[in-house]
Amino acid sequence: MTVPAVDGAPTGLYVHVPFCDGRCGYCAFYSVSYEERLARRWLEAVRREYLLVVEREGAPSFETVYIGGGTPTVLSLPLLEELLEWIRERTGGARVVEWSVEANPGSATFEKLAGMRDAGVTRLSLGVQALQEARLRWLGRRHTVAEAEAAYHAAREAGFRNVGVDLIAGGAYAGRREWRETLSRVVEWGPEHVSVYALTVEEGTALGSNAVWKGEGEEEEQRTVQRLHEAAEILEGAGYCRYEISNYARPGFACRHHVACWRGERYLGLGPSAASHVGMRRWTNRADLDDYLNRLEAGAFPAREEEELSGATKAVERLIFGLRMAEGVDLRVVTQEGGKEEKERWRTVLKRLGAGGLVEGGGDRWRLTPLGMDFADTVAVELML
């Protein structure tokens, strides 16, 4: 018997693959070393988690699917194919308009890429990050420049017509010349999507414990901002649209899954550390694979932090995340579920920020300026006060 979908049911599915072949120096995402036995238990646990959610929440009807990590392509080919087939059975395929998978060049073999494409995956996000050998080693990446380029061309050969390339701005071996060479080379490849993330130093990472690197401080931050400006110049000059602070795409190729999340739509996350937003509730699974497996194998939900969202909380989140996008926000849409009493205060704050050159617009419609994109965190703080 099929459980009817509930109001506010998720339209996006995220599956967290918590396995990697190593740890990058900047990475704060949850992952563990790959073991086939553990990975098989994880896949069975993901299936069980989904069934428990359906029993409690009702059956979702997904429009987008996103498999991230970790490193999804570190899964063995048989296990990857099993995961993809299970997702295809759950979604039915007909309603899904975008199915993305993250891939690392070192493990994105042609066989795996072709298997993903045959299963119905429509979009690939390739974690290139850099195109200098010394910089790749400094970042803690395990692939080479040649493997990055080979993986990109293998994706095309496998039939992908929507390929994204991820890059990291800032850090060592990333001067103006090297960075512009990287961007120009990526533009020559011709991906439909390019993400450019500023290198951040987080506690608990290898870079976060590097006292010398942490001491770079404000000077390094200024260099990183300059690299981001150069990325905007080169990518927009090549015909890419900057549709979100860190994301550029050819017309029609913005990541629909991420856009839906930024607009405040609902999503279901499966796997350790995965987050979900269903109805007016949000929860995040504990980042602990052993605990995740043990609880689900015992028939229980995974341990997680839960929060009941108020209308006001939902509204301010939609405002802040919506402002990250080039299209900006409409305060009438933002306040549909609550926060109407805040609207006038936000208008006042936005007018003040506009006078400082950080936002532009008027009335109910606002968006960040190019300067505002450099100071998006400052804008967010002002709106939350």
Side-chain angles (χ1 to χ4, degrees):
M1 172 177 152
T2 302
V3 181
V6 296
D7 184 43
T11 59
L13 172 65
Y14 173 77
V15 179
H16 185 77
V17 180
F19 301 104
C20 260
D21 60 0
R23 172 71 69 175
C24 298
Y26 56 87
C27 183
F29 291 112
Y30 178 67
S31 68
V32 299
S33 297
Y34 181 74
E35 294 180 26
E36 182 77 5
R37 178 186 60 83
L38 272 180
R40 184 154 293 283
R41 288 178 64 197
W42 160 81
L43 178 54
E44 181 57 34
V46 165
R47 291 171 170 147
R48 293 183 182 191
E49 184 183 7
Y50 177 78
L51 290 175
L52 289 174
V53 170
V54 169
E55 288 176 7
R56 176 179 291 186
E57 309 290 344
S61 182
F62 299 114
E63 296 178 1
T64 63
V65 176
Y66 195 101
I67 305 177
T71 306
T73 49
V74 81
L75 296 173
S76 67
L77 181 58
L79 204 58
L80 179 61
E81 290 177 337
E82 193 173 330
L83 169 64
L84 297 174
E85 179 59 27
W86 176 77
I87 290 176
R88 184 165 59 180
E89 290 172 355
R90 300 288 78 70
T91 61
R95 187 172 164 82
V96 173
V97 296
E98 178 189 87
W99 184 353
S100 303
V101 177
E102 293 179 350
N104 275 354
S107 56
T109 64
F110 175 78
E111 290 75 17
K112 290 179 181 179
L113 293 169
M116 287 191 284
R117 190 68 193 93
D118 290 344
V121 176
T122 61
R123 181 177 179 276
L124 192 73
S125 182
L126 193 61
V128 172
Q129 315 308 1
L131 288 176
Q132 292 79 34
E133 302 294 354
R135 179 162 167 74
L136 286 170
R137 290 193 296 271
W138 183 82
L139 289 169
R141 305 294 288 172
R142 275 80 60 200
H143 67 266
T144 65
V145 173
E147 286 173 328
E149 186 160 7
Y152 176 82
H153 293 299
R156 294 304 197 190
E157 186 180 349
F160 280 96
R161 297 294 175 263
N162 188 355
V163 179
V165 169
D166 292 355
L167 298 174
I168 293 179
Y173 307 102
R176 184 176 186 274
R177 179 179 61 81
E178 293 89 349
W179 181 237
R180 295 180 79 88
E181 286 176 354
T182 293
L183 292 164
S184 297
R185 193 164 174 182
V186 168
V187 166
E188 288 177 4
W189 291 357
E192 285 69 33
H193 191 284
V194 182
S195 296
V196 183
Y197 300 108
L199 179 67
T200 55
V201 180
E202 300 190 43
E203 294 299 326
T205 66
L207 281 180
S209 61
N210 186 324
V212 174
W213 179 246
K214 287 173 70 176
E216 293 286 326
E218 186 175 338
E219 184 178 345
E220 173 55 30
E221 185 176 330
Q222 291 173 353
R223 286 195 294 264
T224 299
V225 169
Q226 184 58 40
R227 299 292 85 82
L228 295 174
H229 290 175
E230 291 161 1
E233 171 198 336
I234 290 174
L235 293 172
E236 291 177 342
Y240 291 89
C241 298
R242 189 180 189 181
Y243 71 95
E244 192 269 346
I245 289 176
S246 302
N247 290 281
Y248 300 78
R250 300 285 188 194
F253 287 97
C255 179
R256 297 190 184 194
H257 182 86
H258 288 156
V259 167
C261 293
W262 293 321
R263 287 176 176 166
E265 295 180 25
R266 277 67 170 183
Y267 50 88
L268 172 65
L270 303 175
S273 82
S276 299
H277 174 201
V278 178
M280 292 298 283
R281 292 184 299 111
R282 179 169 54 211
W283 65 84
T284 302
N285 291 341
R286 180 181 296 170
D288 184 329
L289 178 59
D290 288 339
D291 187 68
Y292 178 82
L293 296 176
N294 291 335
R295 286 175 179 266
L296 282 158
E297 287 168 355
F301 274 100
R304 61 196 196 185
E305 293 184 3
E306 296 190 59
E307 179 184 6
E308 188 74 29
L309 298 174
S310 67
T313 298
K314 181 61 182 170
V316 73
E317 289 185 355
R318 292 185 71 172
L319 174 63
I320 290 168
F321 282 105
L323 278 172
R324 292 186 60 87
M325 294 189 293
E327 67 184 22
V329 295
D330 187 323
L331 296 181
R332 292 168 297 182
V333 175
V334 164
T335 56
Q336 281 178 345
E337 296 169 297
K340 292 181 174 61
E341 65 281 359
E342 296 290 303
K343 188 189 289 190
E344 288 306 317
R345 186 184 70 81
W346 288 336
R347 279 204 190 103
T348 300
V349 174
L350 288 166
K351 288 178 182 177
R352 174 165 53 81
L353 293 170
L358 297 178
V359 299
E360 59 188 8
D364 287 320
R365 189 78 204 180
W366 296 88
R367 65 179 183 178
L368 293 176
T369 63
L371 177 63
M373 289 190 172
D374 291 342
F375 295 95
D377 289 346
T378 299
V379 172
V381 169
E382 291 291 321
L383 291 167
M384 288 190 293
L385 290 176

